[in-house]
Every structure is written in C-alpha cells, then in structure tokens.
Amino acid sequence: MTDTTCSELIHRVKTHLQLIYPEHDIQSICQNLLHIMQLEENTPSPPNHQNHWSQEDVVVITYGSSVIKEGEKPLHTLHRFFNEHLKGVVNSVHILPFYPYSSDDGFAVMDYSKVNDSLGDWVDIEAISQDFRLMSDLVINHCSSRSIWFENFKQGKSPGTNYFYTATPEDDISQVVRPRTSPLLREVPTPEGTKYVWCTFSHDQVDFDFREIDVLYEFIKIIRLYLDRGVKIFRFDAVAFLWKEPGTPSIHLPQTHELIRLMRTLVEHAVPDAIIITETNVPNHENLSYFGNGNEAHCVYNFSLPPLLVNSLISGSCKHLKRWLMTMPPSQVGTAYFNFIASHDGIGLRPAEGLLDEDELATLVNTISQFGGKISWRSANGINKPYEMNISLFDALQGTYKGPDKYQIDRFICAHAVMLALEGIPGIYLHSLFGTTNDYERVNNTSQNRSINRHQWQADELDAQLDNKYSHHHKVFNRMRKLIKIRTTQPAFHPNAVQFTLQLGEELLGFWRQSQNRKQSIFCIFNMTDKEQTIAMAEINLIDTEEWFDLIADSKVEDLRSTLTLAPYQAVWLTNFRG
C-alpha cells in the first residue's frame, strides 16, 4: 500500500513515526502498532475537535487505599464509599497508581500489567469503571529499579536490556532540567560493563529510552490493556521528560510532543471518547504547549491555579490570579483545562514562576511553613530552589499572612467555589472533600514530605466523622457536595463555556460564564479577604430585564440597584437561569 492510497489512520501514524524515528522501518512499526492496538487499516477516524465532557463531569482524585477497612480489599472499600456517598454527585474517579510498586506511593511501577495485591485485582478496577468514568495513570517516563525489566537490564537479558536511557559522566548534562536535587545518573554494573542510567526523579525510578522501538511497543500494549479494563482517561505522568538528549534541557523536546500525538491517534481510533491528560508541572507557557494544535493532549493540568489561588486567599489580594486568568487563552473545542487545587503531590511552585515575584514566593513559602507544611527543593544551575509546598489544602488555608484565624472552613470552601466555576474540568482530591489535615505520623513513617497529604482513613472512623454534625469534616463534606451538585446542573459551567474576567478590584475576584447556547449567564464573585466587602450591583452589569438568583444562597436578587455585601470569603454565583 503506497502513501497515496493508504487510509487516513495509516497516513497519520506514519507521519508521527517519520518525525520521531526517521532512521527506522516506518511501514513495519506502523503495522505492529496497529496490531497491538487491535486496529484495522481502514478503521474510521473519529470526528475532529469533539468535547468528550460537559458541566456534569467532576473527577475525584484518590489513592486506592485512601479509605480502608480491616479484612476488606481497599478497592472494594473505596468503591462502596463512592457508591454510598458520591454516587449522583460526581461521575469520575482518578485512582492513582494501583500497580505493584517499590517507592513514591505507586509512581515507581514494578509491573504495569497487574493490580497491587494489597489493593485488590482487575475485577475491582473493572467494577469501579462500571459505576464511574475511570481515570488512570500511565507512568510513562520511568519505572521501578526493582521491575523485571530493570533486573533484565542489569543482567543483559530481554525484555529490558535496551529499555533504559544511559549516558556517560563525560556527557554534557549541565542544562538538564530536574525536579529533584539527587544525582541524575545512577551507576549500574552490567555484563557489558558499568552503565550510567538516567534518573530524572530518584534512583529507584529509572528512565525509559523511547529511542528504542521496543519501549514504544511495550507502552502501546499497556494502553491497550488499560482500555480493555475500563480506563477512559489517561494521565500521562511526568511526560515532559520523556525524550532525553545530553547537551539539551531534556524537557519538552519535539519528539516528546510527537510521541503524545502518536499515542493520541492510536487511542482515539481505538476508543473515540477516551481522553489523554498531560501532567507537566512546569511554568504556565510551557504547560500550554501540550495542547499542540488541538491534536495533542485533550486536557492539560492547570498547574498555575493552586499556588495563585492559595496566595490570593492568604494575602487578601487576587491581582496576580486575576492577571493570570486574563492571559489564559480559551481552550479550543476538543480541548479543556483540568483544574485542581489539591492533589497527592504538593502545591507546585514552578508554575508560579513569572507570575509571583521572588519576594512574594518567599512570603508564601514562609507562611505555609508556619502552617505546618514541608518544603521540597529542586536544583537549578547548582542552586537549590523551592519546588513545591507539601501540606494538606485545608491546613494551607487555615489563615492569612497574619496567622491562623476563624475563617478556615469558609476560606477552604471559597477556594473550591472558585475552581468549580472556572473554565475547565474540575479535579477534586478526595481529602479535600473532608478537610483532611496534615498527617505528620505518615511523614515520620515514610520520611517523605509528600506523605503529609496522603492520609489513610479508616472507613468506620470516616463515616463517624461525616455523620457528626459538629465535626469540621461533616461541615466541609456537606458544603462541598452542595457546591458540586449546583455546578453540575449549570450549562454556563460547561468546561468550554465562555469566561470573561471582571474588574472588581483586588479584594473581589469576579468572572462571567456564559453557556454555549448563550441562554445562561453566571456572574461568579468571591470575597478573597477576611473583611466584609460591598459592591454596587450596577458594577456587575446584570441585565435588568431578567430575574437573577444566587445559586449558592438559593435566593432571588430583589433589587438590581442595591449593593451586594459579601461576608469574609463568601462566594456568589448569580444567574439569570437556574439549571
């Protein structure tokens, strides 16, 4: 079959491959990839630029073992908890790496084809995927040094002997961008002599060499397996570091972007409504590049949102957050932002570079430290810089730069009201639903800063806390559920609906959302301070021929010529149409 007569699928796959592997047999690689993905040459291409999401989509991010019960597999416990407490509230769940692993709470994968026995099995994963849209990690940059592949590498055996990227101490690695301060190269004895394996993160996380076609084949097999097990959303972990070249920063290289495009082509032909989300914890402009031309990631993590929003709420000024919102390009049809403000990791600071100045970053880091947080560092040109702040979001918002105060819950709910209203798909960390606090015991046990926000709840204890109306966990959970339920019924909160930033000063954050059919408007206004704020209704420009309602307060606006008074950290969603 010639290129002039081949199908669109074949043509697209070959085009990707020619840009990544120009020295290889493209025809053979293409046929092998289609075979692995169970695709026919004439498989029809899905329509371009389709949104596989709506305002109804809310993703809860959780470890498989975040809720546990003695004598029961954690995935079974988690599934029951979701069905009892979140069914009909959220429709998607991101289960963080559920594979056998050796470190980093799952991100040093030993076997991609298995479910960790301590969590459950594939039957449990498939059962969850029947009730909730399932999001899973593709830990694609590296695997565990205890994996069979790396054991084979050390013994010169296949599969694995050519799977890992090696360099030499003489190579120029001075420009390599790192999220860690550990040495980049790990010395490893092999039958062919000492080799130096590239380790972007830790020496237990050895980097793959995607120059080798066998590595590409392995990951396409993994993707096909996950699709068959019910995964609909793929989180490409640490994908920015995928392709390495000494003498370069080894981040965001062209081959990395083209590999993502290749995998998207294969995935969307196999399961047209599957979604790829890239996890790139980098400065904002670099992060946005993973949209490509609407042909790369369906969604990108909105990494600048967490540090900017936390900074706004504890400083009392939203000027930086507002300026950032005004510069964010609207996502094209078929792409969307993935918004989050808390996760299993910390609050990244690299995405705030260029958005907050050095003094503001230092003040933010110092405040989080005073609130009990830990600070993780990275090396940049031989200088250690703060990389992320490790703290539960509930504790991060316990006060302002002046110290803790009585508005912790209100401030916390306000943060989520902002996120739920913004353009994009919201991802909510399970612990944010309850207002889980810092877990210092877990930090002591693991000696890892990130463990501070990876608490494991005993199911019975969590149920008791959620049933106790005096518990802050009960208060947070019920207010969060209410906000989510409101959000998911409003057309103007569609991830791709229009968003326009309002100019209401530094103390009030405001933006306008409009449904895609233009029938619904929602004016979202938030008091970012610990003081009461007042604004004339006329400044919001509500159309006076329509009735307006506050969705959160469930009340009608009686007089559009009056003033709107917001209590500290109050959120208001004003609409002309109740969804």
Side-chain angles (χ1 to χ4, degrees):
M1 181 178 289
T2 66
D3 284 343
T4 57
T5 61
C6 69
S7 70
E8 181 181 351
L9 170 59
I10 295 286
H11 176 72
R12 287 176 61 181
V13 171
K14 284 185 175 181
T15 300
H16 297 312
L17 291 172
Q18 285 164 353
L19 292 169
I20 308 166
Y21 303 108
E23 306 298 323
H24 291 71
D25 181 354
I26 301 302
Q27 176 71 21
S28 175
I29 299 171
C30 179
Q31 293 301 323
N32 289 338
L33 291 175
L34 265 59
H35 175 72
I36 293 169
M37 284 295 284
Q38 303 168 24
L39 294 171
E40 301 293 334
E41 291 185 359
N42 60 354
T43 299
S45 294
N48 291 327
H49 309 299
Q50 278 197 325
N51 293 329
H52 302 306
W53 45 78
S54 73
Q55 65 274 12
E56 297 178 7
D57 291 301
V58 176
V59 182
V60 172
I61 306 162
T62 180
Y63 277 104
S65 58
S66 290
V67 184
I68 55 178
K69 185 178 180 67
E70 187 174 353
E72 189 172 71
K73 289 293 187 180
L75 285 173
H76 184 76
T77 307
L78 185 73
H79 190 188
R80 187 181 66 249
F81 179 86
F82 267 72
N83 278 332
E84 290 178 355
H85 294 281
L86 294 172
K87 191 78 169 177
V89 181
V90 302
N91 65 359
S92 305
V93 56
H94 172 198
I95 304 178
L96 292 156
F98 46 77
Y99 329 106
Y101 70 95
S102 57
S103 65
D104 198 19
D105 280 351
F107 287 91
V109 180
M110 295 171 62
D111 189 338
Y112 290 84
S113 66
K114 295 180 180 178
V115 175
N116 192 330
D117 288 341
S118 67
L119 294 178
D121 54 31
W122 281 117
V123 173
D124 296 307
I125 293 295
E126 291 176 9
I128 293 172
S129 76
Q130 295 298 311
D131 291 331
F132 299 88
R133 186 159 63 164
L134 180 61
M135 178 171 169
S136 174
D137 291 272
L138 190 69
V139 185
I140 195 170
N141 178 70
H142 52 262
C143 73
S144 167
S145 65
R146 290 172 53 194
S147 67
I148 187 64
W149 290 341
F150 196 66
E151 288 298 325
N152 286 347
F153 171 84
K154 291 189 292 183
Q155 298 173 38
K157 295 164 52 178
S158 292
T161 184
N162 61 335
Y163 282 17
F164 300 95
Y165 195 96
T166 60
T168 71
E170 290 73 37
D171 285 330
D172 178 11
I173 58 174
S174 61
Q175 299 179 52
V176 174
V177 173
R178 298 284 311 289
R180 300 289 186 273
T181 57
S182 58
L184 175 63
L185 302 180
R186 171 182 168 173
E187 189 174 328
V188 179
T190 76
E192 299 175 352
T194 299
K195 293 187 178 181
Y196 296 87
V197 178
W198 196 285
C199 300
T200 299
F201 290 87
S202 77
H203 281 194
D204 187 40
Q205 293 164 298
V206 284
D207 283 29
F208 290 110
D209 187 352
F210 268 87
R211 296 174 303 178
E212 299 290 338
I213 301 298
D214 289 341
V215 175
L216 174 63
Y217 289 158
E218 289 286 6
F219 273 92
I220 300 306
K221 291 176 187 175
I222 293 165
I223 289 173
R224 181 70 252 187
L225 170 65
Y226 294 176
L227 288 170
D228 291 339
R229 297 296 189 176
V231 173
K232 281 296 186 72
I233 308 174
F234 290 87
R235 175 187 184 268
F236 280 16
D237 176 65
V239 71
F241 304 99
L242 203 60
W243 199 274
K244 305 96 167 60
E245 288 182 8
T248 76
S250 292
I251 187 172
H252 314 314
L253 295 186
Q255 295 91 336
T256 292
H257 287 281
E258 201 62 44
L259 277 163
I260 297 170
R261 295 182 190 119
L262 168 63
M263 286 184 250
R264 170 166 172 168
T265 294
L266 294 170
V267 166
E268 67 185 5
H269 278 79
V271 179
D273 62 344
I275 296 170
I276 291 173
I277 303 181
T278 49
E279 186 268 335
T280 50
N281 191 357
V282 294
N284 190 56
H285 68 282
E286 298 173 26
N287 188 35
L288 294 176
S289 70
Y290 285 84
F291 278 136
N293 292 318
N295 61 348
E296 202 163 324
H298 294 92
C299 306
V300 299
Y301 271 76
N302 220 346
F303 272 105
S304 295
L305 178 60
L308 289 178
L309 184 52
V310 169
N311 179 73
S312 294
L313 286 164
I314 64 178
S315 71
S317 169
C318 63
K319 63 179 181 180
H320 297 302
L321 176 61
K322 183 169 63 176
R323 185 182 303 125
W324 170 72
L325 286 175
M326 292 171 64
T327 64
M328 290 294 282
S331 55
Q332 300 177 39
V333 175
T335 66
Y337 295 109
F338 188 76
N339 295 325
F340 75 106
I341 49 178
S343 74
H344 62 290
D345 290 338
I347 300 170
L349 293 174
R350 285 211 72 207
E353 291 176 8
L355 303 173
L356 299 176
D357 64 34
E358 292 295 325
D359 288 341
E360 289 167 325
L361 280 170
T363 302
L364 178 60
V365 167
N366 182 59
T367 302
I368 293 299
S369 297
Q370 291 178 358
F371 288 168
K374 310 288 185 180
I375 308 300
S376 295
W377 301 81
R378 69 181 179 94
S379 178
N381 298 319
I383 301 173
N384 286 350
K385 290 189 172 184
Y387 173 70
E388 70 178 13
M389 304 179 295
N390 303 111
I391 189 170
S392 81
L393 185 64
F394 190 69
D395 279 329
L397 295 174
Q398 65 186 266
T400 67
Y401 289 148
K402 297 176 287 187
D405 59 26
K406 63 182 180 180
Y407 297 115
Q408 185 173 15
I409 293 178
D410 293 330
R411 190 180 291 111
F412 184 78
I413 296 299
C414 180
H416 286 90
V418 172
M419 183 188 73
L420 287 166
L422 283 171
E423 174 190 351
I425 302 168
I428 301 175
Y429 193 36
L430 183 70
H431 291 297
S432 292
L433 290 173
F434 322 132
T436 305
T437 56
N438 292 334
D439 190 336
Y440 297 110
E441 181 178 355
R442 196 168 178 82
V443 173
N444 292 334
N445 290 339
T446 66
S447 299
Q448 299 293 322
N449 286 349
R450 285 178 167 177
S451 296
I452 200 169
N453 196 25
R454 297 177 179 179
H455 182 68
Q456 285 185 324
W457 278 99
Q458 293 292 332
D460 292 343
E461 177 190 359
L462 179 57
D463 284 339
Q465 290 291 338
L466 296 182
D467 287 341
N468 179 3
K469 65 180 182 179
Y470 300 107
S471 162
H472 87 261
H473 303 294
H474 169 92
K475 296 172 183 176
V476 167
F477 189 55
N478 283 279
R479 290 179 68 176
M480 289 287 287
R481 280 167 50 94
K482 176 185 175 183
L483 281 178
I484 296 168
K485 286 182 176 181
I486 295 171
R487 178 233 154 69
T488 56
T489 57
Q490 311 306 318
F493 284 153
H494 186 284
N496 295 91
V498 167
Q499 178 172 296
F500 181 81
T501 306
L502 305 177
Q503 300 301 319
L504 304 177
E506 291 187 19
E507 291 81 14
L508 293 174
L509 174 68
F511 49 87
W512 168 64
R513 303 294 309 278
Q514 185 184 54
S515 61
Q516 292 174 305
N517 64 9
R518 299 190 178 185
K519 290 183 179 180
Q520 184 188 36
S521 289
I522 304 180
F523 289 85
C524 308
I525 304 171
F526 312 90
N527 184 354
M528 308 298 281
T529 75
D530 56 1
K531 301 289 190 299
E532 187 178 271
Q533 301 291 333
T534 301
I535 180 173
M537 297 291 279
E539 290 187 43
I540 309 173
N541 292 324
L542 303 181
I543 300 173
D544 59 11
T545 57
E546 297 181 334
E547 291 188 332
W548 292 86
F549 307 88
D550 180 353
L551 291 168
I552 297 176
D554 192 24
S555 62
K556 180 181 176 181
V557 178
E558 298 293 347
D559 185 359
L560 297 183
R561 292 165 295 185
S562 63
T563 57
L564 177 66
T565 300
L566 286 84
Y569 306 106
Q570 182 179 350
V572 173
W573 292 345
L574 298 175
T575 186
N576 61 335
F577 171 80
R578 295 203 225 196

Coordinates of all heavy atoms in Angstrom, one line a residue, residues 492-533:
A492 N -23.8 27.0 31.9 CA -22.7 28.0 31.8 C -21.4 27.6 32.5 O -20.4 28.2 32.3 CB -23.2 29.3 32.5
F493 N -21.5 26.4 33.2 CA -20.3 25.9 33.8 C -19.7 24.7 32.9 O -18.8 24.0 33.3 CB -20.5 25.4 35.2 CG -20.6 26.5 36.2 CD1 -21.4 26.3 37.4 CD2 -20.0 27.7 36.1 CE1 -21.5 27.3 38.3 CE2 -20.0 28.7 37.0 CZ -20.8 28.5 38.2
H494 N -20.2 24.6 31.7 CA -19.5 23.7 30.8 C -18.0 24.0 30.7 O -17.7 25.2 30.6 CB -20.2 23.8 29.4 CG -19.7 22.8 28.4 ND1 -18.5 22.8 27.8 CD2 -20.3 21.6 27.9 CE1 -18.3 21.8 27.0 NE2 -19.4 21.1 27.0
P495 N -17.2 23.0 30.6 CA -15.7 23.3 30.6 C -15.3 24.2 29.5 O -14.2 24.9 29.6 CB -15.1 21.9 30.4 CG -16.1 21.0 31.1 CD -17.4 21.6 30.8
N496 N -16.0 24.3 28.4 CA -15.7 25.2 27.3 C -16.5 26.4 27.1 O -16.4 27.1 26.1 CB -15.7 24.4 26.0 CG -14.6 23.3 25.9 OD1 -14.9 22.2 26.3 ND2 -13.4 23.6 25.5
A497 N -17.4 26.7 28.1 CA -18.3 27.9 28.0 C -17.4 29.1 28.2 O -16.4 29.1 28.8 CB -19.3 27.8 29.1
V498 N -17.9 30.2 27.7 CA -17.2 31.5 27.7 C -16.9 31.9 29.1 O -17.7 31.7 30.0 CB -18.1 32.6 27.0 CG1 -17.5 34.0 27.3 CG2 -18.1 32.3 25.5
Q499 N -15.7 32.5 29.2 CA -15.3 33.1 30.5 C -14.7 34.4 30.3 O -13.8 34.6 29.4 CB -14.3 32.2 31.2 CG -13.7 32.7 32.6 CD -12.9 31.7 33.3 OE1 -13.3 30.6 33.7 NE2 -11.6 32.0 33.4
F500 N -15.1 35.4 31.1 CA -14.6 36.8 31.0 C -14.3 37.3 32.4 O -15.2 37.2 33.2 CB -15.6 37.7 30.3 CG -15.2 39.1 30.1 CD1 -14.3 39.4 29.0 CD2 -15.6 40.1 30.9 CE1 -13.9 40.7 28.8 CE2 -15.2 41.4 30.8 CZ -14.3 41.7 29.7
T501 N -13.1 37.8 32.6 CA -12.7 38.3 33.9 C -13.3 39.7 34.2 O -13.2 40.6 33.3 CB -11.2 38.3 34.0 OG1 -10.6 37.1 33.7 CG2 -10.7 38.7 35.4
L502 N -13.8 39.9 35.4 CA -14.4 41.1 35.8 C -13.4 42.0 36.5 O -12.5 41.4 37.2 CB -15.6 40.9 36.6 CG -16.7 40.0 36.1 CD1 -17.9 39.8 37.1 CD2 -17.3 40.6 34.8
Q503 N -13.5 43.3 36.4 CA -12.6 44.2 37.1 C -13.3 44.7 38.3 O -14.0 45.7 38.3 CB -12.2 45.3 36.1 CG -11.4 44.9 34.9 CD -10.2 44.1 35.2 OE1 -9.4 44.4 36.1 NE2 -9.9 43.0 34.4
L504 N -13.0 44.1 39.5 CA -13.7 44.4 40.7 C -12.7 44.8 41.8 O -13.1 44.8 43.0 CB -14.6 43.3 41.2 CG -15.7 42.8 40.1 CD1 -16.4 41.6 40.7 CD2 -16.6 43.9 39.8
G505 N -11.5 45.1 41.4 CA -10.5 45.5 42.5 C -9.7 44.2 42.9 O -9.9 43.1 42.4
E506 N -8.9 44.4 43.9 CA -8.0 43.3 44.4 C -8.7 42.4 45.4 O -8.4 41.2 45.6 CB -6.7 43.9 45.0 CG -5.8 44.5 44.1 CD -4.5 44.9 44.7 OE1 -4.2 44.3 45.8 OE2 -3.7 45.7 44.2
E507 N -9.7 42.9 46.1 CA -10.3 42.2 47.2 C -11.4 41.2 46.7 O -11.7 40.2 47.3 CB -11.0 43.1 48.2 CG -10.0 43.9 49.0 CD -9.5 45.2 48.3 OE1 -10.1 45.5 47.2 OE2 -8.5 45.7 48.7
L508 N -12.0 41.5 45.6 CA -13.1 40.7 45.0 C -12.6 40.1 43.7 O -12.2 40.8 42.8 CB -14.3 41.5 44.7 CG -15.1 42.1 46.0 CD1 -16.2 43.0 45.5 CD2 -15.6 40.9 46.8
L509 N -12.7 38.8 43.6 CA -12.4 38.1 42.3 C -13.7 37.9 41.6 O -14.7 37.5 42.2 CB -11.7 36.7 42.6 CG -11.5 35.9 41.3 CD1 -10.5 36.5 40.4 CD2 -11.1 34.4 41.7
G510 N -13.8 38.2 40.3 CA -15.0 38.1 39.6 C -14.8 37.6 38.2 O -13.8 38.0 37.5
F511 N -15.7 36.7 37.7 CA -15.6 36.4 36.3 C -17.0 36.0 35.8 O -17.9 35.6 36.7 CB -14.6 35.3 35.9 CG -14.6 34.1 36.8 CD1 -15.5 33.0 36.5 CD2 -13.8 34.0 37.9 CE1 -15.5 31.9 37.3 CE2 -13.8 32.9 38.7 CZ -14.7 31.8 38.4
W512 N -17.3 36.1 34.6 CA -18.6 35.8 34.0 C -18.5 34.6 33.1 O -17.6 34.5 32.3 CB -19.0 37.1 33.1 CG -20.2 36.9 32.2 CD1 -21.5 36.6 32.6 CD2 -20.2 37.0 30.8 NE1 -22.3 36.5 31.5 CE2 -21.5 36.7 30.4 CE3 -19.2 37.2 29.8 CZ2 -21.9 36.8 29.0 CZ3 -19.6 37.2 28.5 CH2 -20.9 37.0 28.1
R513 N -19.4 33.7 33.3 CA -19.5 32.5 32.4 C -20.8 32.6 31.6 O -21.8 33.0 32.1 CB -19.5 31.2 33.2 CG -18.3 31.0 34.1 CD -17.0 30.8 33.4 NE -17.0 29.8 32.3 CZ -16.9 28.5 32.6 NH1 -16.7 28.0 33.8 NH2 -16.9 27.6 31.6
Q514 N -20.8 32.1 30.4 CA -22.0 32.1 29.6 C -22.1 30.8 28.8 O -21.1 30.3 28.3 CB -22.0 33.2 28.5 CG -23.3 33.3 27.7 CD -23.2 34.4 26.6 OE1 -22.3 34.3 25.8 NE2 -24.1 35.3 26.6
S515 N -23.3 30.2 28.9 CA -23.5 28.9 28.3 C -23.3 28.9 26.8 O -23.4 30.0 26.2 CB -24.9 28.3 28.6 OG -25.9 29.2 28.0
Q516 N -23.0 27.8 26.2 CA -22.7 27.8 24.8 C -23.8 28.2 23.9 O -23.6 28.7 22.8 CB -22.1 26.4 24.4 CG -20.8 26.1 25.0 CD -20.3 24.7 24.8 OE1 -21.0 23.7 25.1 NE2 -19.1 24.6 24.3
N517 N -25.1 28.0 24.4 CA -26.2 28.5 23.6 C -26.6 29.9 24.0 O -27.6 30.4 23.5 CB -27.4 27.5 23.8 CG -27.9 27.5 25.3 OD1 -27.5 28.3 26.1 ND2 -28.8 26.6 25.6
R518 N -25.8 30.5 24.9 CA -26.0 31.9 25.3 C -27.3 32.2 26.1 O -27.6 33.4 26.4 CB -26.0 32.9 24.1 CG -24.7 32.8 23.3 CD -24.6 33.9 22.3 NE -23.3 33.8 21.6 CZ -22.9 34.7 20.6 NH1 -23.7 35.8 20.3 NH2 -21.8 34.6 20.0
K519 N -27.9 31.2 26.6 CA -29.2 31.4 27.3 C -28.9 31.6 28.8 O -29.6 32.3 29.5 CB -30.1 30.2 27.2 CG -30.7 30.0 25.8 CD -31.6 28.8 25.8 CE -32.3 28.7 24.4 NZ -33.2 27.6 24.3
Q520 N -27.8 31.1 29.3 CA -27.5 31.3 30.7 C -26.2 32.0 30.9 O -25.2 31.8 30.3 CB -27.4 29.9 31.5 CG -27.2 30.1 33.0 CD -26.8 28.8 33.7 OE1 -26.2 27.9 33.2 NE2 -27.4 28.6 34.9
S521 N -26.3 33.0 31.9 CA -25.1 33.7 32.3 C -24.9 33.4 33.8 O -25.9 33.3 34.5 CB -25.2 35.2 32.1 OG -25.1 35.5 30.7
I522 N -23.7 33.3 34.3 CA -23.4 33.2 35.7 C -22.3 34.2 36.0 O -21.2 34.1 35.4 CB -23.0 31.8 36.2 CG1 -24.1 30.8 35.8 CG2 -22.8 31.8 37.7 CD1 -23.8 29.3 36.2
F523 N -22.6 35.1 36.9 CA -21.6 36.0 37.4 C -21.0 35.5 38.7 O -21.8 35.3 39.7 CB -22.1 37.4 37.6 CG -22.4 38.1 36.3 CD1 -23.6 38.0 35.6 CD2 -21.5 39.0 35.7 CE1 -23.9 38.6 34.4 CE2 -21.7 39.6 34.5 CZ -22.9 39.5 33.9
C524 N -19.8 35.1 38.7 CA -19.1 34.5 39.9 C -18.3 35.5 40.6 O -17.3 36.0 40.0 CB -18.3 33.3 39.4 SG -19.1 32.1 38.3
I525 N -18.6 35.7 41.9 CA -17.9 36.8 42.6 C -17.5 36.2 44.0 O -18.3 35.5 44.6 CB -18.8 38.0 42.8 CG1 -19.3 38.5 41.5 CG2 -18.1 39.1 43.6 CD1 -20.4 39.6 41.6
F526 N -16.3 36.5 44.4 CA -15.7 35.9 45.6 C -15.0 36.9 46.4 O -14.2 37.7 45.9 CB -14.7 34.8 45.2 CG -15.2 33.8 44.2 CD1 -15.0 34.1 42.8 CD2 -15.9 32.7 44.5 CE1 -15.5 33.2 41.8 CE2 -16.4 31.8 43.6 CZ -16.2 32.1 42.2
N527 N -15.3 37.0 47.7 CA -14.6 37.8 48.6 C -13.3 37.1 49.0 O -13.3 36.1 49.7 CB -15.4 38.1 49.8 CG -14.8 39.1 50.8 OD1 -13.6 39.5 50.6 ND2 -15.5 39.5 51.8
M528 N -12.1 37.6 48.6 CA -10.9 36.9 48.9 C -10.2 37.4 50.2 O -9.1 37.1 50.5 CB -9.9 37.2 47.7 CG -10.5 36.9 46.4 SD -10.9 35.2 46.2 CE -9.3 34.4 45.8
T529 N -11.0 38.1 51.0 CA -10.4 38.7 52.2 C -11.1 38.3 53.5 O -12.2 37.7 53.4 CB -10.5 40.3 52.2 OG1 -11.8 40.7 52.4 CG2 -10.0 40.8 50.8
D530 N -10.6 38.6 54.6 CA -11.2 38.3 55.9 C -12.0 39.5 56.4 O -12.4 39.6 57.6 CB -10.1 38.0 57.0 CG -9.1 39.1 57.1 OD1 -9.2 40.1 56.5 OD2 -8.1 38.9 57.9
K531 N -12.4 40.4 55.5 CA -13.2 41.6 55.8 C -14.4 41.6 54.9 O -14.4 41.1 53.8 CB -12.5 42.9 55.6 CG -11.2 43.0 56.4 CD -11.5 43.3 57.9 CE -10.2 43.7 58.7 NZ -9.2 42.6 58.6
E532 N -15.5 42.1 55.5 CA -16.8 42.2 54.7 C -16.5 43.2 53.5 O -15.8 44.2 53.7 CB -17.9 42.8 55.5 CG -19.2 42.8 54.9 CD -20.3 43.3 55.8 OE1 -20.9 42.5 56.5 OE2 -20.5 44.6 55.8
Q533 N -17.0 42.8 52.3 CA -16.8 43.7 51.1 C -18.2 44.0 50.5 O -19.1 43.1 50.5 CB -15.9 42.9 50.1 CG -14.5 42.6 50.6 CD -13.6 43.8 50.8 OE1 -13.8 44.8 50.2 NE2 -12.7 43.6 51.7

